[in-house]
Amino acid sequence: MLLRSTLSHHSLSLQIPSHFLSKYQNHHKFMPLFLSKSFLFLPTRPFSSISNFTSYMMSSFSPPKPKTRLRGVVFDMDGTLTVPVIDFPAMYRAVLGEDEYKRVKAENPTGIDILHHIENWSPDLQRHAYQTIADFERQGLDRLQIMPGTAQLCGFLDSKKIRRGLITRNIKEAVDLFHNRFGITFSPALSREFRPYKPDPGPLLHICSTWEVQPNEVMMVGDSLKDDVACGKRAGAFTCLLDETGRYSADDFTKSNLQPDFRVSSLTEVLSILDANFDLIP
């Protein structure tokens, strides 16, 4: 017999009336198998009453908490949807000069915000800097490659009818090429021409307004702690940091005061996180 009236096999002193067991078994034909497995996890202290036993059993099989609703996902482009191809250190040196590059890099260990850095330059210097940046970006267009897992993740979002948007500090030409080359469209897709740009929350809040959703119903996915995670956090969205190479350490999170809600090493992991943690409702 799998369950004895004294439950002595499991060191329990509670006497369970036979009519209780008989009635329960009549309504639950799977009871012997169920009890033979689950009772292995019962505490060894005696139950003081049948009500305590019932409460324990009910709490052990309480329904899971409802998942948080998610209605849209917004992605960074370079290094997230596409394989990194731009030589950013070389770009920064070309814009700043070697000495200034070293100084700015030392002051910004989590990364240089080159667009923010040149905002206060004179118009002529700004024009030259933007031209240099654009030249590097256009060179990268020739080597543009889609990030592994992008198509599968977008297909999953499509199957759930979940919106997908894009925010990049790259130029519109790069976004258009991405859409045309790989046949995957994001809307809205905001490039550098949209101001303010990341890490300001403005672009993400603009997308939420366009979608008519709340920021806490959206996730921001990107590979930059200072741009993507900061943008998402400031907007009030969920954030997912794509860290393929283990670039970021706990110390980086502490120094920047930015802690992503999720951290992954591939876009395939993003799919798993969305499926496991959110109620995907458009």
Side-chain angles (χ1 to χ4, degrees):
M1 186 174 183
L2 293 172
L3 178 66
R4 300 174 183 177
S5 60
T6 60
L7 298 177
S8 58
H9 179 70
H10 300 285
S11 302
L12 298 174
S13 62
L14 174 65
Q15 295 282 340
I16 299 180
S18 58
H19 70 274
F20 174 85
L21 295 177
S22 176
K23 182 178 180 180
Y24 191 84
Q25 282 179 313
N26 288 336
H27 290 281
H28 301 275
K29 302 302 183 183
F30 58 90
M31 184 180 180
L33 178 61
F34 171 76
L35 290 174
S36 65
K37 295 181 181 295
S38 64
F39 266 40
L40 295 175
F41 302 100
L42 285 174
T44 56
R45 284 188 311 172
F47 291 106
S48 60
S49 68
I50 190 68
S51 61
N52 285 351
F53 170 75
T54 304
S55 297
Y56 176 84
M57 292 299 293
M58 293 298 292
S59 64
S60 298
F61 302 99
S62 57
K65 294 181 179 179
K67 295 180 181 180
T68 301
R69 183 181 187 183
L70 197 75
R71 305 176 67 187
V73 182
V74 179
F75 296 87
D76 167 56
M77 189 174 77
D78 298 298
T80 301
L81 296 174
T82 62
V83 177
V85 292
I86 298 175
D87 187 344
F88 284 103
M91 176 198 291
Y92 299 152
R93 287 187 176 94
V95 173
L96 301 172
E98 186 65 30
D99 292 340
E100 181 68 0
Y101 167 71
K102 290 180 179 178
R103 184 189 69 80
V104 175
K105 182 181 179 182
E107 294 177 355
N108 300 271
T110 59
I112 297 174
D113 187 342
I114 192 66
L115 298 179
H116 178 74
H117 188 80
I118 66 178
E119 277 184 345
N120 296 323
W121 288 9
S122 68
D124 287 343
L125 289 177
Q126 276 193 26
R127 191 177 305 109
H128 182 267
Y130 282 126
Q131 184 59 53
T132 301
I133 293 170
D135 288 344
F136 272 87
E137 291 170 336
R138 290 190 177 93
Q139 292 171 23
L141 296 182
D142 296 332
R143 306 188 302 276
L144 193 65
Q145 301 176 51
I146 195 167
M147 184 70 78
T150 298
Q152 293 86 343
L153 178 54
C154 290
F156 172 75
L157 294 175
D158 287 347
S159 71
K160 301 291 185 178
K161 295 182 171 54
I162 298 299
R163 303 171 179 88
R164 58 174 189 263
L166 184 152
I167 303 174
T168 179
R169 288 157 57 101
N170 207 325
I171 54 179
K172 184 177 183 299
E173 182 181 350
V175 176
D176 292 341
L177 178 63
F178 172 81
H179 283 161
N180 294 330
R181 179 172 294 182
F182 303 115
I184 303 175
T185 303
F186 295 77
S187 181
L190 306 181
S191 57
R192 185 163 70 232
E193 290 77 8
F194 181 94
R195 298 295 182 93
Y197 35 67
K198 297 179 299 185
D200 191 284
L204 186 51
L205 292 175
H206 173 80
I207 290 179
C208 291
S209 177
T210 301
W211 286 345
E212 297 183 339
V213 303
Q214 296 301 313
N216 62 5
E217 297 175 316
V218 170
M219 176 180 284
M220 179 73 208
V221 180
D223 69 318
S224 172
L225 184 64
K226 69 178 180 64
D227 291 334
D228 304 313
V229 174
C231 175
K233 287 290 185 183
R234 293 172 186 175
F238 290 98
T239 56
C240 182
L241 178 65
L242 176 61
D243 188 7
E244 281 192 294
T245 61
R247 166 187 173 190
Y248 293 102
S249 66
D251 191 46
D252 292 322
F253 301 142
T254 301
K255 287 181 178 178
S256 64
N257 196 30
L258 293 169
Q259 181 68 49
D261 298 299
F262 302 95
R263 181 183 180 184
V264 299
S265 60
S266 70
L267 290 182
T268 302
E269 292 179 53
V270 177
L271 191 157
S272 299
I273 284 174
L274 293 175
D275 192 36
N277 294 277
F278 295 95
D279 195 359
L280 303 174
I281 302 176

